[in-house]
Amino acid sequence: MAVKSLLVEKERINLRGVLRARLGELHTVWAWVPMLPFFVFAVAFLLLPSASIVVRSFQGEQGQFTLANIERIFTRPDLLRAYENSILLSIATAIFGGVLGFLLGYAITLGRLPPSIRSMVLTFSGVASNFAGVPLAFAFIATLGQMGLVTRALNDLLGRNIYHSGFSIYNFWGLSIVYTYFQLPLMVLIITPALDGLRREWREAAEGLGATAYHYWRYVALPILLPSLLGTMVLLFANSFGAYATAYAFSGSQINLVPLVIGFNIRGNVLYDPGLGNALALGMVVIMAISIAFYSYLQRRSELWLK
Amino acid sequence: MSFLRLEHVHKRFGSTIAVQDFNLEVQMGEFVSLLGPSGCGKTTVLRIIAGFEQPTAGTVHLQDQDITHQPPNRRRMGMVFQHYALFPNMTAADNIGFGLRVTGVRREEIRQRVAALLNLVQMPDLGNRYPHQLSGGQQQRVALARALAIQPQVLLLDEPLSALDAQIRVELRGEIRRIQQQLGITTIYVTHDQEEAFSLSDRIVVMNHGCIEQVGTPFEIYNYPATSFVARFVGAVNQLRCEVLDPHRGQLRCGNQLVTMPGPLALQTGAIATIMIRPEALQLGERGGANRLAGQVCAITFRGPLVRVQLHLDNSESLVVDTLNTRQLQLPQIGDQQLISFAPESVWLVNGGG
Amino acid sequence: MAQVTRRPSAWAWVWLVIWAVFSWLPLVATLDFSLRARKGMLSLKAYQNIFADPGFYNSLAFSFQMALLTIVISIFLVVPTAYWVHLRLRRARPLVEFVTLLPFVVPAVVIAFGLIRWYCCPPFAFVSSPLLLVAGYVVLSLPYMYRAADTGLRAIDVCTLTEAAQSLGASNLQTFFLVILPNLRASILSGAFLTFAIVMGEFTLSSLLAWPAFGPYMQYVGVFKAYESAALAIISFALTWLVMLLMLWLVRGWAAARAVTAPR
Ligand SMILES: Nc1ncnc2c1ncn2[C@@H]1O[C@H](COP(=O)(O)OP(=O)(O)O)[C@@H](O)[C@H]1O
Ligand SMILES: [Mg+2]
């Protein structure tokens, strides 16, 4: 009898435990409710529209599964060229902006400049990194265009027009300079905190142990910075890869870029072809996804160290 | 001849004077602590020795060689920082081997030396861990091993234990001393904790506002403090304002009570003087010596090995008495009149030796 | 003997000068160009033309409205979510961070493309409503707004503050509005200003969705009028600066006020 009542008791405890667990689950479900507006919005205006592109790139006109859209990209040299241009331009400006931004970030953090200069550079960078798009294009046309201030100044100075020596603001290198204008400040903004994270004691510990500046940078500072350095450059890559407004404003541009092709497609020009547009957009998303996956991997590496 | 010598070292940062006329000679193998409140310039002195700061004036000599302007990476001084400053991208072993690697020691030799050092700091199996995988105490052990790896001429430690919790602090403290004596390495140790300085050092330099207040053995510093600042900084001390009664016999009047000093005083009759006495030199009851004072008990604080009794004297000055805690201890009640006694030898005059 | 004194920062100055030239030259050139609308002399003619154009005011007003709407909706969506993530749903953080990072990953062109495709036809025929544009802008603002809110929340001890408020009898909503929100003011403001700057100059979405916003207006002017477009670039740059400085000024004022009232 005693045993039986004990069993019953045990059962009851069990039941109570189960009940409590269920209630707990309910509780955690409730905890998600305040997040609903955010997630509903994200699904409706970001996730579904983007995901639909992925799905529709694999659909034919009647909704059947097909790889034709994607194949079409690979059979059209002009589209392949657009991807190539976009990727190369993004790599080039990520490197320019990255290296120059790093040097500037170094100068304002470790260069022993007055603190007022540092805050001035950072504030200006905040503005300049948002100064992309149409007005930026105008500014560079006024600077390095056919009739630009610098073009004319160089003409007077060197006695010859840089446009006759192959330079143009509308070609690859010209566009690289323009993009660098907003890439550099972005790099400065992101890399400055990382450079601030280099602790003075690390340098001193290294020096105390007999290391030269080279040793310190080679074995300590660069390895520590490398993940955030590369990570930021991936971000710069993405930033320029997706840039539409700046490229569009150079409507006379001789180089074709993926965002422009997609834009033409949306605007319903001669190029109008929904299947192709989907596939082109998918291509962009894939390239961006790869670079961001790389970015977050690097980010995690650097957080691991800098804890 | 001294091993390390600082002469008339001054350092100013803009308008702040961090160190002022600092003179110190350290013998080979000696363990010297710089002790003082936060902001008194201890770290600055240490960094000048290490070469991270240049003195505004003055010189630093090591083995009679002027190293004032020698860059830090040629000085061979191992430094241990408060927050470890381990390189986060290297394992413990790589951290320890760093100084050897940059000076071109062979790989195999580095490996052996690192293993020996890991043993020395009692972490033989943790060489492959990254700093963020180690506890604070372990990180500081690695930092110590890293500093020792280059067989430094001087080991510099800047509050190495103050980021650790109490138990680890005591444990590691003992180990630092053990290793220092085992290797016979000249050591400068910065701390604001007098207990740490006392338990580790051969000699202590007490600093305040960038100046040296006193240099001496722990015994001298505690029992013969040169200034009232030193006396107060290294332990609890009672201060009493008295009037000189008879300078030749060393007698003073404190309120209506008589206090006798061990010798004659260089003061006039009627002059006001401040005397000092440590709480543990006072005894409850009358068996502590020739001096007697009476007061009313106003607080009793239990502190483990000691019990602190606070009294108000009749002239509204107050006094604390530390008594060894034993099971048989008979404590007074708050409000009781209590007699205390002490030897004339344990009293000293402020700023006047004693 | 090698001197230990820290290397002079001469090269830092060199970099700074190079940067300053690269940064300011285009602006100077644009300013110069914008003043040359009259042949052979400096004049404000280009600016006068712009200011006489009703299209300028209309597009500016349109973008301004869109920006305000975007900011309100974005704050409403992001701040409570970020707060909740900090307080209760730490597990959800990676997910929320992923979502808010997406607009950085998915280019604006693609977002525009997706929105148009998804909302072009019944049952969601929505393309002709300006709300779709606002929704797109809110999407673009997510990374900035979330970052800002997150930074602000990290700076205060959300859990303790909330517990303190609740132990004093405040409800969830009271806690949020009376305790948390006032402490986040500075960071929300910086997110809002950033959003404002982005929306005011935005071109991709507004042009692809065919709205007469300020970005497309600038582009349109650029096609026909060289000097006026330079003037517009200057105006737009000045506008961004104005917004930035206004924000810095406000945030600093608040920070100073807080330092006085609540020393740490
Ligand atoms: N790099 C520096 N710049 C300006 N002032 C400094 C610098 N380093 C130290 N000081 C000042 O010098 C004084 C002594 O500092 P420090 O040596 O760090 O003191 P401690 O280590 O004893 O706490 C302090 O007032 C501190 O503010
Ligand atoms: Mg210090």
Side-chain angles (χ1 to χ4, degrees):
Chain A
M1 260 180 308
V3 173
K4 195 175 173 194
S5 74
L6 229 160
L7 272 180
V8 168
E9 184 64 14
K10 199 172 168 194
E11 198 89 317
R12 199 181 295 153
I13 290 169
N14 241 336
L15 203 70
R16 213 182 291 159
V18 169
L19 252 174
R20 194 172 302 150
R22 275 285 134 79
L23 274 175
E25 273 167 39
L26 209 65
H27 191 78
T28 51
V29 171
W30 275 112
W32 285 86
V33 168
M35 314 279 283
L36 268 183
F38 174 80
F39 280 117
V40 167
F41 178 87
V43 167
F45 294 104
L46 178 58
L47 300 177
L48 273 185
S50 313
S52 77
I53 290 175
V54 177
V55 174
R56 287 184 204 184
S57 354
F58 295 101
Q59 279 178 348
E61 293 189 5
Q62 273 77 47
Q64 80 284 17
F65 175 81
T66 174
L67 289 175
N69 296 324
I70 292 162
E71 274 166 26
R72 230 159 347 139
I73 296 180
F74 288 98
T75 51
R76 286 202 21 203
D78 59 327
L79 297 181
L80 284 181
R81 178 63 51 81
Y83 271 102
E84 189 188 325
N85 286 337
S86 268
I87 291 175
L88 287 180
L89 183 68
S90 304
I91 290 178
T93 63
I95 292 175
F96 293 161
V99 171
L100 295 178
F102 177 75
L103 290 172
L104 184 63
Y106 190 128
I108 61 170
T109 48
L110 304 169
R112 288 177 300 283
L113 293 173
S116 58
I117 295 227
R118 172 195 165 112
S119 72
M120 196 193 80
V121 170
L122 287 178
T123 310
F124 184 89
S125 297
V127 174
S129 63
N130 282 310
F131 190 58
V134 183
L136 179 67
F138 294 164
F140 267 93
I141 291 170
T143 313
L144 282 167
Q146 293 269 17
M147 294 304 296
L149 187 73
V150 173
T151 314
R152 279 181 289 129
L154 287 176
N155 203 357
D156 296 345
L157 215 68
L158 308 173
R160 107 198 162 119
N161 192 330
I162 49 172
Y163 272 74
H164 297 161
S165 353
F167 177 85
S168 162
I169 197 73
Y170 296 105
N171 70 15
F172 183 87
W173 295 111
L175 218 51
S176 300
I177 295 178
V178 179
Y179 276 34
T180 303
Y181 192 85
F182 60 80
Q183 298 277 62
L184 191 156
L186 189 61
M187 182 72 180
V188 173
L189 288 179
I190 305 180
I191 207 67
T192 299
L195 283 165
D196 281 334
L198 282 183
R199 291 175 37 203
R200 187 179 71 169
E201 284 101 326
W202 289 335
R203 170 146 210 161
E204 291 178 349
E207 281 183 355
L209 296 167
T212 59
Y214 164 78
H215 289 134
Y216 168 70
W217 278 97
R218 164 73 184 79
Y219 296 116
V220 182
L222 273 183
I224 290 173
L225 284 179
L226 202 60
S228 40
L229 215 58
L230 289 177
T232 313
M233 277 159 88
V234 172
L235 217 61
L236 295 189
F237 174 89
N239 191 34
S240 107
F241 194 69
Y244 173 73
T246 317
Y248 186 87
F250 280 102
S251 47
S253 172
Q254 302 130 7
I255 73 166
N256 207 8
L257 297 168
V258 185
L260 292 179
V261 180
I262 297 178
F264 284 135
N265 232 295
I266 297 176
R267 288 168 168 257
N269 284 7
V270 202
L271 279 162
Y272 188 70
D273 178 346
L276 186 62
N278 284 321
L280 284 168
L282 176 69
M284 268 191 107
V285 172
V286 167
I287 289 172
M288 295 292 252
I290 292 172
S291 52
I292 292 296
F294 190 50
Y295 167 75
S296 61
Y297 166 75
L298 292 171
Q299 197 67 23
R300 222 166 310 132
R301 281 278 305 261
S302 71
E303 271 174 16
L304 199 72
W305 284 341
L306 296 177
K307 227 180 273 180
Chain B
M1 190 195 82
S2 56
F3 186 65
L4 175 70
R5 195 167 78 239
L6 281 81
E7 280 174 352
H8 304 295
V9 169
H10 289 259
K11 178 70 188 179
R12 52 165 59 221
F13 295 103
S15 59
T16 1
I17 297 172
V19 177
Q20 220 171 350
D21 197 26
F22 193 96
N23 294 284
L24 181 67
E25 298 202 353
V26 179
Q27 304 304 318
M28 194 158 187
E30 202 178 11
F31 193 120
V32 172
S33 291
L34 305 183
L35 176 66
S38 172
C40 71
K42 310 178 295 285
T43 299
T44 307
V45 171
L46 203 70
R47 290 166 58 79
I48 286 172
I49 298 174
F52 299 134
E53 303 284 1
Q54 289 280 288
T56 316
T59 54
V60 182
H61 283 83
L62 186 69
Q63 291 186 312
D64 271 343
Q65 228 194 18
D66 186 347
I67 59 163
T68 316
H69 300 291
Q70 199 175 35
N73 54 10
R74 304 237 203 99
R75 292 193 184 195
R76 267 197 37 222
M77 296 198 183
M79 177 118 171
V80 177
F81 298 83
Q82 180 174 359
H83 294 286
Y84 331 130
L86 292 180
F87 306 129
N89 57 322
M90 298 181 199
T91 61
D94 288 341
N95 262 288
I96 297 172
F98 180 82
L100 303 173
R101 181 158 144 205
V102 296
T103 40
V105 177
R106 277 180 309 110
R107 199 168 283 249
E108 181 56 23
E109 197 185 331
I110 294 180
R111 213 181 49 74
Q112 284 170 7
R113 298 249 296 265
V114 167
L117 282 159
L118 279 168
N119 268 326
L120 184 71
V121 296
Q122 306 191 332
M123 294 180 48
D125 305 321
L126 300 179
N128 290 325
R129 298 261 188 103
Y130 281 94
H132 70 92
Q133 297 168 318
L134 296 170
S135 72
Q138 290 169 331
Q139 289 189 51
Q140 201 56 295
R141 283 163 193 267
V142 174
L144 182 62
R146 180 177 70 177
L148 292 171
I150 57 170
Q151 297 178 325
Q153 313 202 62
V154 182
L155 179 64
L156 305 171
L157 303 108
D158 190 359
E159 312 213 10
L161 304 179
S162 55
L164 304 173
D165 54 44
Q167 206 175 343
I168 309 280
R169 199 147 62 202
V170 173
E171 188 185 311
L172 203 51
R173 186 166 91 190
E175 225 157 289
I176 288 176
R177 184 59 166 164
R178 172 181 67 79
I179 291 171
Q180 187 263 336
Q181 295 196 319
Q182 190 178 328
L183 303 178
I185 188 166
T186 313
T187 303
I188 315 278
Y189 187 100
V190 163
T191 180
H192 63 258
D193 179 340
Q194 81 280 5
E195 195 189 318
E196 236 171 72
F198 285 144
S199 60
L200 284 169
S201 323
D202 296 320
R203 276 195 304 152
I204 295 175
V205 179
V206 183
M207 293 178 65
N208 190 25
H209 293 310
C211 300
I212 294 185
E213 293 268 329
Q214 187 177 4
V215 182
T217 63
F219 185 85
E220 288 163 356
I221 297 283
Y222 189 81
N223 293 312
Y224 297 92
T227 64
S228 67
F229 170 81
V230 174
R232 273 181 282 117
F233 191 77
V234 300
V237 67
N238 290 302
Q239 273 181 299
L240 295 176
R241 277 168 59 82
C242 302
E243 188 190 328
V244 178
L245 277 185
D246 183 344
H248 305 296
R249 286 198 280 172
Q251 286 181 336
L252 303 141
R253 191 168 65 87
C254 180
N256 292 321
Q257 311 190 63
L258 187 75
V259 174
T260 311
M261 300 280 296
L265 302 168
L267 290 169
Q268 306 269 306
T269 303
I272 299 295
T274 305
I275 57 167
M276 284 190 161
I277 182 163
R278 297 240 180 250
E280 67 272 15
L282 301 172
Q283 263 197 27
L284 298 176
E286 25 187 66
R287 290 217 300 264
N291 281 319
R292 306 276 139 92
L293 288 174
Q296 192 180 31
V297 176
C298 63
I300 299 175
T301 327
F302 192 78
R303 314 188 135 203
L306 294 175
V307 177
R308 177 163 291 182
V309 178
Q310 190 175 359
L311 303 127
H312 276 313
L313 301 184
D314 54 5
N315 61 346
S316 83
E317 292 217 57
S318 86
L319 205 62
V320 295
V321 180
D322 281 348
T323 310
L324 261 185
N325 185 12
T326 61
R327 290 187 173 202
Q328 292 77 34
L329 185 66
Q330 303 268 316
L331 280 173
Q333 301 288 310
I334 290 179
D336 286 359
Q337 279 299 121
Q338 175 74 41
L339 193 69
I340 56 165
S341 56
F342 52 96
E345 288 72 28
S346 52
V347 187
W348 71 88
L349 211 60
V350 168
N351 295 337
Chain C
M1 187 166 176
Q3 277 286 314
V4 70
T5 36
R6 296 291 174 184
R7 268 165 284 122
S9 52
W11 60 270
W13 284 106
V14 170
W15 277 119
L16 203 71
V17 169
I18 292 175
W19 166 80
V21 169
F22 179 63
S23 299
W24 287 99
L25 205 56
L27 301 173
V28 172
T30 313
L31 185 64
D32 175 75
F33 195 71
S34 73
L35 296 175
R36 293 186 184 278
R38 269 187 226 287
K39 266 216 155 19
M41 60 181 289
L42 294 180
S43 74
L44 291 174
K45 181 154 180 288
Y47 293 90
Q48 284 161 355
N49 289 347
I50 296 271
F51 290 132
D53 181 3
F56 171 73
Y57 297 102
N58 292 341
S59 62
L60 210 57
F62 179 83
S63 284
F64 188 77
Q65 287 165 15
M66 295 296 109
L68 289 190
L69 262 176
T70 306
I71 288 169
V72 170
I73 297 177
S74 185
I75 290 177
F76 172 76
L77 279 178
V78 170
V79 177
T81 307
Y83 168 60
W84 200 246
V85 166
H86 265 261
L87 187 65
R88 285 288 149 75
L89 266 184
R90 295 203 165 259
R91 279 178 304 145
R93 164 167 285 161
L95 185 63
V96 174
E97 271 180 2
F98 171 75
V99 170
T100 54
L101 207 66
L102 264 186
F104 237 76
V105 185
V106 185
V109 193
V110 175
I111 292 176
F113 191 70
L115 286 177
I116 291 172
R117 278 294 135 79
W118 189 256
Y119 292 105
C120 65
C121 340
F124 306 114
F126 195 28
V127 190
S128 53
S129 159
L131 284 182
L132 188 65
L133 181 64
V134 172
Y137 283 164
V138 172
V139 168
L140 294 189
S141 78
L142 284 182
Y144 304 98
M145 202 55 103
Y146 180 77
R147 277 265 159 121
D150 191 56
T151 314
L153 285 163
R154 272 172 208 265
I156 59 176
D157 187 350
V158 180
C159 290
T160 312
L161 274 184
T162 303
E163 281 165 11
Q166 297 194 331
S167 73
L168 295 169
S171 71
N172 273 339
L173 283 181
Q174 281 172 323
T175 307
F176 181 72
F177 283 105
L178 298 179
V179 178
I180 302 297
L181 217 49
N183 277 305
L184 292 184
R185 178 163 83 154
S187 41
I188 293 177
L189 188 80
S190 71
F193 271 108
L194 216 54
T195 305
F196 185 82
I198 290 168
V199 172
M200 286 309 285
E202 207 282 338
F203 174 74
T204 313
L205 281 181
S206 49
S207 119
L208 292 176
L209 290 171
W211 286 103
F214 189 53
Y217 170 75
M218 285 194 283
Q219 200 275 328
Y220 172 81
V221 169
V223 174
F224 301 105
K225 301 171 179 169
Y227 300 108
E228 281 77 1
S229 67
L232 270 176
I234 292 294
I235 292 172
S236 137
F237 188 76
L239 203 70
T240 318
W241 260 108
L242 200 73
V243 168
M244 193 76 174
L245 289 180
L246 196 66
M247 175 187 85
L248 282 181
W249 179 70
L250 272 178
V251 169
R252 281 214 188 119
W254 282 345
R258 187 189 297 184
V260 170
T261 52
R264 290 224 205 186

